[in-house]
Amino acid sequence: MTAPAQQLVLAIDLGSGGPKIGYVTVTGEPVWWHYERGDAVGGARTQNPNDWWDVIVKHAQEGLTQPNVTAKSVVGIAVTGQWSSTIPVDENGLPVAECLMWSDTHGAAHSQRMFGGPVAGYSPRALATWIRRSGGMPSHAGSDPISHMLHLDRDLPEVAARARWYMEPVDQVTMRFTGIAAASPMSMTGAWLTDNRDLSEVAYDPVLVDAAGIDANK
């Protein structure tokens, strides 16, 4: 077994500016890294998740050719990523369409109908429901996961029919490694679908899911 001082983690930071891939020690010291510009693999409002994965795999393999990195020293993978973006994926976690980035506002009209109103652009009832339970609420401007999901379900039914899950980028990349569809309260904060009054309750809030008008199974 590799000694702790020699153990490495494959670290991936999937920002909207592009993937950063590196090998770091378990105490956080960088050993080798590579940054791929996002404008080489996608656009401002949508990006192709398959391009991200190709970059990650290519440069993770490249890192293993470095003299100070060996496969047997890698003990884990850590993934962080951009926020409030949505990828429709199949049951295996493979994208069925491009990622809707945090700047994509195609679903704005649906959000405005669901949540819009006279109080800073929001319905008073929607504000009371969301703020009380989650501490935040979906954007009426359309640039967030709820708007993305409404757009996919209502404007792109052919994509929605092929999608088993709607996933944040960090969760989709993790599923590519593990095969497991999973999210966390952290990755889903931008969707405002969790009751944050009790942080020990790790589940979607049925009241908020129903109020958002989305498919809870996805």
Side-chain angles (χ1 to χ4, degrees):
M1 181 177 294
T2 305
Q6 299 174 313
Q7 291 176 349
L8 300 177
V9 172
L10 171 60
I12 299 161
D13 177 17
L14 181 59
S16 53
K20 306 172 189 71
I21 303 98
Y23 290 94
V24 301
T25 68
V26 293
T27 57
E29 297 297 323
V31 173
W32 177 91
W33 62 274
H34 174 85
Y35 173 39
E36 187 84 11
R37 280 290 304 168
D39 54 10
V41 297
R45 293 198 172 194
T46 63
Q47 290 191 14
N48 186 339
N50 287 319
D51 289 341
W52 300 339
W53 183 246
D54 289 344
V55 168
I56 290 168
V57 170
K58 175 184 176 180
H59 294 291
Q61 291 174 336
E62 178 187 350
L64 291 175
T65 68
Q66 306 305 306
N68 52 351
V69 178
T70 63
K72 68 179 181 180
S73 66
V74 179
V75 297
I77 301 171
V79 183
T80 187
Q82 53 166 286
W83 200 40
S84 290
S85 301
T86 306
I87 308 172
V89 304
D90 64 17
E91 62 276 4
N92 297 312
L94 300 179
V96 298
E98 290 193 323
C99 173
L100 300 177
M101 303 285 280
W102 53 267
S103 54
D104 188 282
T105 58
H106 280 97
H110 301 303
S111 290
Q112 288 164 8
R113 282 193 291 271
M114 298 288 291
F115 319 118
V119 181
Y122 291 100
S123 155
R125 176 173 292 183
L127 274 174
T129 299
W130 255 277
I131 297 298
R132 181 180 298 118
R133 304 178 81 88
S134 72
M137 72 172 299
S139 169
H140 58 73
S143 54
D144 68 359
I146 294 299
S147 298
H148 296 161
M149 288 185 265
L150 291 172
H151 167 57
L152 291 167
D153 281 345
R154 301 182 183 188
D155 301 326
L156 299 173
E158 69 284 359
V159 174
R162 295 167 58 201
R164 174 62 185 91
W165 312 102
Y166 293 143
M167 303 189 79
E168 282 278 350
V170 64
D171 297 325
Q172 193 265 339
V173 171
T174 301
M175 188 175 181
R176 293 293 293 261
F177 280 108
T178 66
I180 299 171
S184 70
M186 179 180 67
S187 68
M188 292 307 297
T189 298
W192 303 115
L193 291 174
T194 54
D195 187 335
N196 296 330
R197 294 172 294 184
D198 181 359
L199 298 183
S200 67
E201 184 67 23
V202 183
Y204 296 108
D205 183 335
V207 172
L208 298 180
V209 171
D210 182 65
I214 64 170
D215 183 353
N217 292 320
K218 292 191 175 182

